[in-house]
Amino acid sequence: MDSLKDVIEDAIHGTTVFERINALNPDYIPKNLPHREIQIRELTVNFRDILINPGSTSVRVVITGKTGTGKTVTAKKFGEIFSEIAKEKGLKIFYLHINCHRQRTLYLILMEIARQLNLQIPNRGLSSQETFKLIYDYLDKRNIQLILALDEFDYFISTSPVEDIYFLVRIYDELNALVKRIHYIFILREMSSLASLDKSIKDHVIKNIIEFHPYTSSDLFDILDDRIKTEKAFREGAVPEETIKFIADIYGVDKGGNGNARLAIETLELAGKIADTEGSPQVSIDHAKKANSKINPELSIIIDTIKDLDLHQLLVVKAIMNLHKKEGVDFFPMGRVEEEYNLVSRELGAPPRKHTQLFEYIRKLKLMGLIVARQSGKGMRGRTTLISLSVPLSTEFEDLINNEIRDKLLQQNNY
Ligand SMILES: Nc1ncnc2c1ncn2[C@@H]1O[C@H](COP(=O)(O)OP(=O)(O)OP(=O)(O)O)[C@@H](O)[C@H]1O
């Protein structure tokens, strides 16, 4: 038997299916973005005024789409190429990408803008207004136009005081500046996160909406194929077409998946690592299957726990499931869930439980990991709980819930 040192040496020097594995990193920006040309074009049409007539308006665009639909990578790629073209024309257009989940407050966002601009902000507790004024003066002095992409802006909305949101999006009302130098790309997972905002803020944010739809299986095939071939993430011939297709089919929205390119790329990378571990020169469908079950392990655990739910907990799950299907958005206010739950219960002849009991069910389902609940942002209508299923909707999942409900109803009627 090999010593463990031999095992390790062998794995270090052994064959590998990868050529440029870093091309599979989540932050890697590839040369091509298959199936996002239209969105790049839409961005360009919205922002070209800054090239033609700089300073006349402040451009605002919203990018919206579910997780893994390429919002971040597309905005970054657009920013990179657009500012390059501006430079060729002798204009200074800078693109800054800020993640509002990492920079959690208005203050941190402003400091990050300054940092990316290489602007020193004095350490003497300036207000947001004063800090922003310094940033604006810096841009003005150097004749710079700034495209500010605020990624995960949903997060900023749900956690920041309304005055801070107001300040950030209505900056020109505060600054009184004649030349507009700051332009925005607001990146949101769901438009519904704007629902709680007051109308005057909404009017400032919702201007031009560019939608990023979940990818279909054939879109994902092209994205994976491009990483393999153009970006040379894998050695030539190491990933057969049938493996790429298999992964694309797991996640393709038209095949019941969630259309998430991030998960598809992660699955491909993990399948490659499994192939390397097994010393295989090729990534097979079987490697892809193993990778998928590793990437989604919690799914089977969650599904096992469904059998422990009682009738009304199942009816709550069914209500949320119905809403996802009917409305196609990710999160629902508690009130909508309650309405739907009352409807579903009555339809099935089970008198709905009271409001307080419903809260208790939601709390339990959240603890089990079956649903995600979060607070909406503070706005005109106060805070409300927003709810979403944590598992992707699939026919199997739906059948499972419906069968369990049927069994529980039968049991109940037999007593
Ligand atoms: N059209 C595409 N072509 C190539 N790679 C893509 C494409 N769309 C997404 N990707 C890749 O998929 C991964 C996820 O994309 P990205 O982070 O841009 O998604 P997102 O919509 O911003 O997701 P989230 O809402 O979770 O932040 C990244 O690795 C990105 O490079």
Side-chain angles (χ1 to χ4, degrees):
M1 205 176 107
D2 289 348
S3 75
L4 289 179
K5 188 167 179 216
D6 290 338
V7 173
I8 293 172
E9 290 272 1
D10 190 54
I12 293 172
H13 303 294
T15 58
T16 173
V17 290
F18 296 107
E19 188 169 325
R20 286 181 63 235
I21 194 170
N22 72 322
L24 300 169
N25 278 348
D27 295 333
Y28 182 81
I29 303 195
K31 187 166 164 286
N32 303 318
L33 293 176
H35 305 285
R36 286 300 174 239
E37 292 85 1
I38 290 178
Q39 286 78 3
I40 298 250
R41 186 172 268 275
E42 282 184 78
L43 280 166
T44 312
V45 169
N46 279 299
F47 281 100
R48 68 182 168 198
D49 255 6
I50 333 178
L51 286 178
I52 300 165
N53 205 353
S56 61
T57 55
S58 164
V59 179
R60 282 130 203 273
V61 171
V62 173
I63 286 183
T64 174
K66 293 192 171 162
T67 179
T69 52
K71 301 182 297 296
T72 304
V73 73
T74 306
K76 284 187 172 166
K77 192 79 189 172
F78 164 77
E80 180 190 310
I81 300 175
F82 194 76
S83 43
E84 219 173 82
I85 293 174
K87 197 170 169 195
E88 284 162 17
K89 295 184 186 300
L91 290 167
K92 284 188 234 164
I93 298 182
F94 290 4
Y95 171 89
L96 302 191
H97 195 98
I98 312 264
N99 185 302
C100 301
H101 193 66
R102 260 172 244 151
Q103 266 66 48
R104 287 166 181 256
T105 61
L106 176 62
Y107 177 75
L108 291 176
I109 290 175
L110 295 176
M111 295 313 273
E112 178 61 17
I113 295 173
R115 192 193 65 77
Q116 290 192 32
L117 288 171
N118 273 330
L119 162 66
Q120 297 286 336
I121 300 283
N123 224 348
R124 54 185 157 84
L126 295 182
S127 68
S128 300
Q129 279 84 346
E130 288 164 329
T131 312
F132 216 100
K133 183 78 173 62
L134 285 182
I135 292 171
Y136 183 84
D137 289 346
Y138 178 93
L139 301 174
D140 206 37
K141 216 161 153 191
R142 290 164 182 76
N143 198 17
I144 297 169
Q145 297 280 324
L146 197 70
I147 300 178
L148 193 59
L150 296 168
D151 206 344
E152 306 211 38
F153 193 62
D154 322 48
Y155 190 82
F156 184 69
I157 293 176
S158 64
T159 54
S160 299
V162 85
E163 316 79 74
D164 287 2
I165 305 171
Y166 209 78
F167 175 79
L168 192 59
V169 304
R170 297 196 53 180
I171 196 71
Y172 284 109
D173 301 350
E174 313 254 347
L175 273 181
N176 233 339
L178 286 177
V179 181
K180 311 281 195 271
R181 299 199 169 276
I182 303 168
H183 313 276
Y184 295 85
I185 300 179
F186 301 104
I187 305 180
L188 297 166
R189 292 219 176 111
E190 301 146 39
M191 288 303 285
S192 59
S193 54
L194 299 176
S196 61
L197 293 181
D198 112 26
K199 185 169 179 310
S200 67
I201 303 187
K202 253 195 278 190
D203 289 348
H204 269 72
V205 175
I206 307 180
K207 290 282 168 178
N208 306 289
I209 300 167
I210 304 181
E211 278 190 56
F212 282 53
H213 296 290
Y215 292 113
T216 63
S217 160
S218 90
D219 295 344
L220 290 173
F221 184 94
D222 295 337
I223 292 170
L224 295 175
D225 197 50
D226 189 71
R227 288 292 164 112
I228 295 166
K229 303 216 175 98
T230 317
E231 301 292 338
K232 299 201 178 335
F234 287 82
R235 292 202 167 151
E236 209 179 320
V239 193
E241 216 164 85
E242 56 178 22
T243 306
I244 310 176
K245 187 153 180 356
F246 180 83
I247 298 175
D249 281 353
I250 300 177
Y251 295 104
V253 67
D254 52 331
K255 302 281 161 85
N258 51 13
N260 182 334
R262 181 182 298 112
L263 288 180
I265 295 171
E266 253 176 53
T267 306
L268 177 66
E269 179 178 5
L270 189 56
K273 286 189 175 156
I274 295 171
D276 275 2
T277 309
E278 293 182 5
S280 162
Q282 279 207 324
V283 187
S284 67
I285 288 191
D286 200 46
H287 296 137
K289 279 189 190 166
K290 286 180 182 155
N292 184 43
S293 64
K294 280 200 182 184
I295 283 182
N296 288 318
E298 64 288 2
L299 215 66
S300 55
I301 300 170
I302 289 174
I303 285 173
D304 275 345
T305 59
I306 283 176
K307 302 205 166 35
D308 301 331
L309 297 181
D310 69 31
L311 176 63
H312 282 270
Q313 290 165 339
L314 287 162
L315 291 172
V316 175
V317 176
K318 185 170 169 68
I320 305 171
M321 205 164 76
N322 285 358
L323 289 174
H324 277 300
K325 277 175 49 187
K326 272 200 273 195
E327 302 190 5
V329 293
D330 277 332
F331 278 89
F332 304 97
M334 182 70 187
R336 283 290 292 124
V337 174
E338 187 165 6
E339 271 169 33
E340 186 69 27
Y341 159 76
N342 288 342
L343 200 82
V344 168
S345 307
R346 287 200 190 98
E347 266 175 16
L348 293 171
R353 296 282 155 88
K354 295 226 161 57
H355 187 73
T356 42
Q357 184 66 52
L358 190 68
F359 257 102
E360 191 45 39
Y361 291 150
I362 296 280
R363 201 184 65 83
K364 168 124 196 264
L365 293 171
K366 191 178 156 200
L367 281 178
M368 285 171 57
L370 197 55
I371 63 169
V372 184
R374 61 163 209 224
Q375 293 298 310
S376 72
K378 225 191 316 172
M380 291 281 279
R381 283 182 240 148
R383 283 184 183 263
T384 162
T385 306
L386 297 173
I387 292 165
S388 174
L389 273 184
S390 65
V391 295
L393 267 191
S394 63
T395 22
E396 289 92 313
F397 182 71
E398 240 182 282
D399 288 349
L400 181 69
I401 297 291
N402 287 333
N403 290 341
E404 282 297 316
I405 291 179
R406 198 198 49 212
D407 290 350
K408 295 271 155 47
L409 280 170
L410 278 175
Q411 277 172 22
Q412 211 178 45
N413 294 341
N414 285 342
Y415 280 117

